[in-house]
Amino acid sequence: MRRGVLALAIALGGQLPSAGAAPAGAAPAGVERYVVVLERDVARPASIAAEHARKYRLDVGMVYNSAIKGYAATIPAARVGAVRADDRVAYLTPDVEVNAAKRRATTQVVPSGVNRINAEFKQNTGSGAEVAVLDTGIDIDHPDLIDNIRGGKNCSTGPSFDDGNGHGTHVAGTIAAARNRSGVVGVAPDAGLWAVRVLNNAGSGSISSVVCGIDFVDSKSPAKGGSITVANMSLSGSGSDDGQCGSVNNDAMHEAICRTVDDGVTFAVAAGNEDENLAASIPAAYDEVITVSALADSTGTPCGTGGPTTYGADDTFASFSNFAGSSDASHTIAAPGVSIRSTDKNGTYSFKSGTSMAAPHIAGTAALYLAANPGTTPAGVAAALQALGEPKDVSFQDECGTGASHTDPSGLHPEVVVRADTL
């Protein structure tokens, strides 16, 4: 179904049919956590760890000074050899999980999208940041989400902000599924979640229901003394940006978003799935939001070495993804959006594809950035994520040797791909 008329309806902005998605339970690839053990005669392990963090773009965690000398870090695959070759390094030990000696029913999966943007196992987990999910609600009893849900509002049908569709729950899991040794883990696993139900169980709603949700978010924005600093909107309708926050074309949703952005909330929104210029889709066309296109990725790692996906070659832009023209390129960023595993309604998990699945990777990364840089304006967050992102047709951080981290055969996607490891 095409997008509804602006004055009448608004619908899910990014989920595609699940045909061709990877099978449930597919294992993640490319987890690159190590303990770096230094030579015993090294005098200052912390100094070497800091040097390596700068030189090799490592995410350094603990530093060891007594039983061993060294540090723990997440290391990009292309940098492992360089770290190992340092004369002060004795060896590297893979930092695999260990458990107490009791049977554990399940293990936790790092979804491919979280892995692709290198958000896994960061010391910064988004603690203190809070994200509103304007969608079909959130499964408030889901074991991966229950501890992170701070509250919500129902602006749609039904008695509560619980999710009867699954779309909002999937979005929420990518943002902040807890690091709890089961299910999946999100980009910012300690960020708070607000369930703002603006779409019904069929995944549709109206401008009024969406404005109701935005109004609720603004009431809890920093300027109003609240704690919500990020909002995700994986939905879309027909419309355009008048360049005046809706005052020229009478767009209430645009005005509401502009006010909420002014009050300190960063919005991540889906670009849409029609393989067309996003200038005809709202809220994607609004200059005040971060609009998110979808990357196709089959391995959870960069460099395009994996097999093709249903929607394009590994590490290229998904064939369904809308794209930005010159008027919208400045506020568009890409994120993984094909066969993304996340939480679903009734305590389950599923794979979904669409720019709806790409947007929450940006929302989660924005939460990470704000946890580390509280008080940054939405424009500052957007600029930072773009500046730290992965450009096309280059080997980002030299992680691919002579190849490129991602490419754009279509020529339609100049935007960077978000990377959490650079935060």
Side-chain angles (χ1 to χ4, degrees):
M1 179 180 293
R2 301 289 290 178
R3 297 182 303 269
V5 177
L6 171 60
L8 298 179
I10 193 158
L12 298 180
Q15 180 186 335
L16 290 171
S18 59
V31 175
E32 298 144 1
R33 294 180 298 156
Y34 293 91
V35 174
V36 178
V37 180
L38 303 174
E39 298 290 353
R40 288 294 305 173
D41 60 356
V42 167
R44 294 184 295 276
S47 296
I48 295 175
E51 175 191 331
H52 284 184
R54 292 191 299 271
K55 185 174 181 180
Y56 302 119
R57 300 288 183 89
L58 312 185
D59 185 9
V60 172
M62 295 171 283
V63 176
Y64 312 108
N65 294 283
S66 183
I68 63 171
K69 294 187 177 182
Y71 61 90
T74 301
I75 306 177
R79 303 296 179 90
V80 171
V83 174
R84 186 178 282 121
D86 190 302
D87 290 341
R88 297 162 295 181
V89 172
Y91 58 90
L92 275 62
T93 298
D95 188 15
V96 298
E97 184 180 62
V98 296
N99 298 302
K102 62 181 180 180
R103 183 174 180 180
R104 193 175 295 276
T106 59
T107 57
Q108 189 161 53
V109 171
V110 179
S112 62
V114 175
N115 196 39
R116 176 61 178 79
I117 69 171
N118 283 359
E120 72 280 13
F121 310 114
K122 289 177 66 64
Q123 296 300 305
N124 175 6
T125 56
S127 179
E130 296 189 2
V131 184
V133 178
L134 285 78
D135 214 291
T136 59
I138 298 176
D139 179 356
I140 59 178
D141 299 314
H142 200 293
D144 277 3
L145 303 173
I146 188 170
D147 290 339
N148 288 352
I149 295 174
R150 303 292 183 260
K153 184 176 178 66
N154 181 20
C155 291
S156 184
T157 58
S160 74
F161 49 76
D162 204 358
D163 187 5
N165 176 282
H167 188 271
T169 301
H170 198 280
V171 166
T174 295
I175 296 168
R179 188 182 292 174
N180 59 2
R181 299 183 182 274
S182 66
V184 296
V185 65
V187 173
D190 284 328
L193 290 168
W194 289 82
V196 186
R197 181 175 158 90
V198 299
L199 304 176
N200 61 25
N201 287 352
S204 63
S206 63
I207 293 297
S208 61
S209 64
V210 175
V211 172
C212 168
I214 299 167
D215 187 64
F216 173 77
V217 171
D218 186 59
S219 75
K220 296 190 176 298
S221 65
K224 303 295 174 59
S227 56
I228 295 176
T229 55
V230 181
N232 190 97
M233 295 178 67
S234 288
L235 47 80
S236 67
S238 294
S240 61
D241 182 356
D242 65 359
Q244 298 294 325
C245 285
S247 64
V248 173
N249 64 352
N250 300 320
D251 186 344
M253 183 167 68
H254 195 181
E255 180 178 349
I257 285 178
C258 284
R259 175 61 58 85
T260 309
V261 169
D262 285 345
D263 286 344
V265 179
T266 298
F267 280 78
V269 310
N273 301 324
E274 293 78 28
D275 185 27
E276 64 186 26
N277 193 312
L278 60 83
S281 178
I282 59 170
Y286 301 157
D287 288 343
E288 296 76 18
V289 304
I290 302 175
T291 301
V292 190
S293 61
L295 184 77
D297 170 72
S298 62
T299 63
T301 57
C303 308
T305 58
T309 74
T310 305
Y311 299 107
D314 182 35
D315 291 313
T316 66
F317 289 90
S319 57
F320 57 76
S321 181
N322 283 358
F323 50 87
S326 58
S327 62
D328 293 301
S330 63
H331 65 96
T332 302
I333 307 178
V338 173
S339 295
I340 301 301
R341 188 175 191 232
S342 187
T343 47
D344 209 327
K345 65 178 181 178
N346 300 323
T348 63
Y349 304 88
S350 66
F351 287 88
K352 299 183 190 295
S353 296
T355 55
S356 276
M357 285 61 251
H361 289 89
I362 299 294
T365 306
L368 293 178
Y369 186 83
L370 285 164
N373 303 274
T376 304
T377 66
V381 173
L385 298 193
Q386 287 183 318
L388 297 170
E390 171 192 307
K392 68 176 183 178
D393 300 325
V394 301
S395 179
F396 188 64
Q397 300 178 349
D398 296 328
E399 63 192 357
C400 303
T402 58
S405 299
H406 78 272
T407 59
D408 175 27
S410 71
L412 297 172
H413 292 275
E415 64 269 25
V416 300
V417 174
V418 70
R419 290 290 289 260
D421 54 333
T422 57
L423 299 181

